[in-house]
Amino acid sequence: MSDQFIGVDVGGTKIAVSVLENGVLSESVVTPTNQASQEALVEQIATAIEAAVTPGTRGVGIGMPSIIEFKTGKILASVNIPLHDIPLRSLLTDRLGVPVYVENDAGCAALAEAFDDGRIVVDSLVMLTIGTGVGGGWVLNGKLYRGATTSAAEVGHTIIGRDVDFGNHVPGDPFPQRGSLETLASGRALDRLADYAAIQYPDSHLGKVTAKKGNVDGHDVVAGAEAGDDACLWCLRVLGERIGIGIANAINTFDPLEVVLGGGVSRAGALLLEPARDAAFRHVVPGLGLNTTIRIARHGPRAGVLGAALIAAQEYAEDTGRNLQGAISGEGG
């Protein structure tokens, strides 16, 4: 029997479970997330994994919207799920009898984007997930990079615009902070741009939608931009250029082979990608980014569960001395 790695993607609305075997990810089994309590959610996750475990299971990876102490698998804090200050890795490993690894969901998505056609195809990658907020992950030397304690890569909280002409002698901001990528370039930021454009241009697509239903959001922006509406195209250009500053910071820091945009806002495709790419390369230090490709994510909603399975495969290979690619693909070595 080939090595099997279970990937679990835990979100605020659903839990998806898939199995990676011979380089192929199975279709996900999806259930609505039980938000009743911490205990109820842990039980639901454990039960969902138990249904997928076989004698060939070598490890389980779980991605979730949380701050995680990876070495211990302790959930420090979470967004949109009721898991806080809980040693999830040890609880589930003891119950399931197979190694369990817990990782931030954006980090899982980043590792997934380094994988294609059954193999790890790029060894240096930065991913930005542009959804309600902004998350991300770094793949360096073919492995997901983590900080000294947690999964690091809180790229949404990097600062891309703030007035510090006279220093920064102001009270500490709540997160997300003023001038951060998350404040300026998230789905919420696109909603704010849409509100502004609807008021400024009442005859635009956004103005007409507002008059009809009372509000607009990012979905309306993308729909209008695809139809050629100037105000919608302006919104995506502004958002894309803000994202581009974040990309430039990533390239100036890591000079990766790829920068990937994922998350719901990335559905705008080239309408977002082109202004982001243009702004990024206007702010990259000369000589850096010469081999960097900036692209839209290829795995879509499957990235989280695929990346979680790859986390399990990566940790299994490291613990056993196996070749990672061999473990993933079922090849020898």
Side-chain angles (χ1 to χ4, degrees):
M1 179 177 289
S2 300
D3 295 332
Q4 298 174 347
F5 303 96
I6 297 173
V8 184
D9 186 17
V10 179
T13 59
K14 63 181 176 62
I15 296 174
V17 179
S18 295
V19 177
L20 180 66
E21 182 177 9
N22 294 330
V24 177
L25 189 69
S26 72
E27 288 299 316
S28 297
V29 176
V30 179
T31 54
T33 305
N34 188 336
Q35 293 272 15
S37 67
Q38 179 161 273
E39 293 73 21
L41 181 52
V42 171
E43 178 63 29
Q44 182 186 30
I45 294 169
T47 300
I49 297 170
E50 285 172 335
V53 170
T54 74
T57 301
R58 300 291 178 254
V60 178
I62 305 175
M64 51 182 53
S66 308
I67 303 296
I68 296 157
E69 187 178 74
F70 182 79
K71 186 175 181 179
T72 64
K74 184 177 182 179
I75 307 297
L76 303 179
S78 298
V79 178
N80 298 326
I81 58 172
L83 295 184
H84 304 276
D85 194 26
I86 177 172
L88 189 63
R89 176 178 178 178
S90 60
L91 287 175
L92 293 179
T93 296
D94 291 346
R95 172 164 170 170
L96 298 168
V98 295
V100 174
Y101 307 95
V102 188
E103 183 55 82
N104 174 267
D105 54 359
C108 290
L111 188 59
E113 286 299 321
F115 180 89
D116 194 33
D117 197 25
R119 310 183 71 84
I120 299 290
V121 295
V122 58
D123 65 1
S124 63
L125 176 149
V126 173
M127 183 168 187
L128 283 72
T129 55
I130 315 293
T132 303
V134 178
W138 306 326
V139 176
L140 302 177
N141 298 319
K143 295 188 62 176
L144 187 66
Y145 173 78
R146 302 181 183 93
T149 303
T150 70
S151 300
E154 287 292 341
V155 296
H157 299 294
T158 57
I159 305 299
I160 63 169
R162 189 157 182 166
D163 182 0
V164 291
D165 284 351
F166 301 102
N168 190 38
H169 300 292
V170 295
D173 292 350
F175 284 89
Q177 293 189 317
R178 288 178 297 120
S180 69
L181 196 61
E182 180 151 333
T183 297
L184 295 174
S186 63
R188 290 191 183 98
L190 183 57
D191 292 344
R192 290 193 294 271
L193 286 169
D195 288 338
Y196 173 83
I199 293 170
Q200 294 297 313
Y201 306 102
D203 293 331
S204 69
H205 172 74
L206 296 173
K208 293 173 182 177
V209 171
T210 298
K212 182 176 180 180
K213 69 174 188 177
N215 66 290
V216 286
D217 58 24
H219 297 288
D220 300 311
V221 173
V222 174
E226 290 174 341
D229 181 82
D230 287 339
C232 294
L233 289 167
W234 175 83
C235 291
L236 289 180
R237 178 182 64 78
V238 171
L239 192 80
E241 290 180 351
R242 294 174 178 178
I243 292 169
I245 303 301
I247 293 173
N249 290 339
I251 295 174
N252 287 336
T253 304
F254 297 108
D255 193 23
L257 288 173
E258 294 187 354
V259 176
V260 181
L261 298 183
V265 176
S266 70
R267 292 173 189 149
L271 296 173
L272 182 74
L273 185 63
E274 292 307 317
R277 182 185 286 131
D278 178 67
F281 285 115
R282 281 190 280 114
H283 294 281
V284 168
V285 174
L288 293 182
L290 298 179
N291 298 307
T292 301
T293 297
I294 303 173
R295 63 172 176 85
I296 297 295
R298 55 174 160 249
H299 291 299
R302 298 269 282 167
V305 71
L306 171 59
L310 290 170
I311 292 288
Q314 203 167 67
E315 296 302 315
Y316 168 76
E318 187 166 306
D319 290 346
T320 61
R322 285 284 307 277
N323 171 271
L324 173 61
Q325 186 55 53
I328 293 171
S329 65
E331 301 166 356

Coordinates of all heavy atoms in Angstrom, one line a residue, residues 189-202 204 206 210 216 231 234-235 238:
A189 N -11.2 46.4 2.0 CA -10.8 47.6 1.3 C -11.4 47.8 0.0 O -11.8 48.9 -0.4 CB -9.2 47.5 1.2
L190 N -11.6 46.7 -0.8 CA -12.3 46.8 -2.1 C -13.7 47.2 -1.9 O -14.2 48.0 -2.7 CB -12.2 45.4 -2.8 CG -12.8 45.4 -4.2 CD1 -12.1 46.4 -5.1 CD2 -12.7 44.0 -4.8
D191 N -14.4 46.7 -0.8 CA -15.7 47.1 -0.5 C -15.8 48.6 -0.3 O -16.7 49.3 -0.8 CB -16.3 46.4 0.7 CG -16.5 44.9 0.5 OD1 -16.5 44.5 -0.7 OD2 -16.6 44.2 1.5
R192 N -14.8 49.2 0.4 CA -14.8 50.6 0.7 C -14.5 51.4 -0.6 O -15.1 52.5 -0.8 CB -13.7 50.9 1.8 CG -14.0 50.4 3.1 CD -13.1 51.0 4.2 NE -11.7 50.6 4.0 CZ -11.2 49.5 4.6 NH1 -12.0 48.7 5.4 NH2 -9.9 49.2 4.4
L193 N -13.6 50.9 -1.4 CA -13.4 51.6 -2.7 C -14.7 51.6 -3.5 O -15.0 52.6 -4.2 CB -12.3 50.9 -3.5 CG -10.9 51.1 -3.0 CD1 -9.9 50.1 -3.7 CD2 -10.5 52.5 -3.2
A194 N -15.4 50.5 -3.5 CA -16.7 50.4 -4.2 C -17.7 51.4 -3.7 O -18.4 52.1 -4.5 CB -17.3 49.0 -4.1
D195 N -17.8 51.5 -2.4 CA -18.7 52.5 -1.8 C -18.3 53.9 -2.3 O -19.2 54.7 -2.7 CB -18.6 52.5 -0.3 CG -19.3 51.3 0.3 OD1 -20.2 50.7 -0.4 OD2 -18.9 50.9 1.4
Y196 N -17.1 54.2 -2.3 CA -16.6 55.6 -2.7 C -16.9 55.8 -4.2 O -17.4 56.9 -4.5 CB -15.1 55.7 -2.5 CG -14.5 56.9 -3.0 CD1 -14.5 58.1 -2.3 CD2 -13.8 57.0 -4.3 CE1 -13.9 59.3 -2.8 CE2 -13.3 58.1 -4.8 CZ -13.3 59.3 -4.0 OH -12.8 60.4 -4.5
A197 N -16.6 54.8 -5.0 CA -16.9 55.0 -6.5 C -18.3 55.1 -6.8 O -18.7 55.9 -7.7 CB -16.3 53.8 -7.2
A198 N -19.2 54.4 -6.0 CA -20.6 54.5 -6.3 C -21.2 55.9 -6.0 O -22.0 56.4 -6.7 CB -21.3 53.5 -5.4
I199 N -20.6 56.5 -4.9 CA -21.0 57.9 -4.6 C -20.5 58.9 -5.6 O -21.2 59.8 -6.1 CB -20.5 58.3 -3.2 CG1 -21.2 57.4 -2.1 CG2 -20.7 59.7 -2.9 CD1 -20.7 57.5 -0.7
Q200 N -19.2 58.7 -6.0 CA -18.6 59.7 -6.9 C -19.1 59.6 -8.3 O -19.2 60.6 -9.1 CB -17.0 59.4 -6.9 CG -16.3 59.7 -5.6 CD -16.5 61.2 -5.2 OE1 -16.2 62.1 -6.0 NE2 -16.8 61.5 -4.0
Y201 N -19.5 58.4 -8.7 CA -19.9 58.1 -10.1 C -21.3 57.4 -10.1 O -21.4 56.2 -10.3 CB -18.9 57.3 -10.8 CG -17.5 57.9 -10.8 CD1 -16.6 57.3 -9.9 CD2 -17.2 58.9 -11.6 CE1 -15.3 57.9 -9.9 CE2 -15.9 59.5 -11.5 CZ -15.0 58.9 -10.7 OH -13.7 59.5 -10.6
P202 N -22.4 58.2 -9.8 CA -23.7 57.6 -9.6 C -24.2 57.0 -10.9 O -25.1 56.1 -10.8 CB -24.6 58.8 -9.2 CG -23.8 60.0 -9.7 CD -22.4 59.7 -9.5
S204 N -22.4 55.1 -12.9 CA -21.6 53.9 -13.1 C -22.3 52.7 -12.7 O -23.4 52.7 -12.2 CB -20.3 54.0 -12.3 OG -20.6 53.8 -10.9
L206 N -21.6 50.7 -10.4 CA -21.7 50.6 -8.9 C -22.7 51.6 -8.4 O -23.5 51.3 -7.5 CB -20.3 51.0 -8.3 CG -19.2 49.9 -8.6 CD1 -17.9 50.4 -8.1 CD2 -19.5 48.6 -8.0
T210 N -26.0 50.4 -6.3 CA -26.3 51.0 -5.0 C -27.7 51.5 -5.0 O -28.5 51.4 -4.0 CB -25.3 52.1 -4.7 OG1 -24.0 51.6 -4.6 CG2 -25.6 52.8 -3.4
V216 N -23.0 48.1 -2.2 CA -22.2 47.4 -3.2 C -21.1 46.7 -2.5 O -20.7 47.0 -1.3 CB -21.6 48.3 -4.3 CG1 -22.6 48.8 -5.3 CG2 -20.9 49.5 -3.6
A231 N -15.5 52.8 -13.5 CA -15.4 53.0 -12.1 C -14.9 51.7 -11.4 O -14.1 51.7 -10.5 CB -16.7 53.4 -11.5
W234 N -11.3 51.2 -12.1 CA -10.6 52.0 -11.2 C -10.4 51.4 -9.9 O -9.3 51.4 -9.3 CB -11.2 53.4 -11.1 CG -10.6 54.3 -10.1 CD1 -9.5 55.1 -10.4 CD2 -10.9 54.5 -8.7 NE1 -9.2 55.8 -9.2 CE2 -10.0 55.4 -8.2 CE3 -11.9 53.9 -7.9 CZ2 -10.1 55.8 -6.9 CZ3 -12.0 54.3 -6.6 CH2 -11.1 55.2 -6.1
C235 N -11.4 50.8 -9.3 CA -11.3 50.2 -8.0 C -10.3 49.0 -8.0 O -9.5 48.9 -7.1 CB -12.7 49.6 -7.6 SG -14.0 50.8 -7.2
V238 N -6.7 50.5 -8.3 CA -6.2 51.0 -7.0 C -5.8 49.9 -6.1 O -4.7 49.8 -5.5 CB -7.2 51.9 -6.4 CG1 -6.8 52.3 -4.9 CG2 -7.4 53.2 -7.2

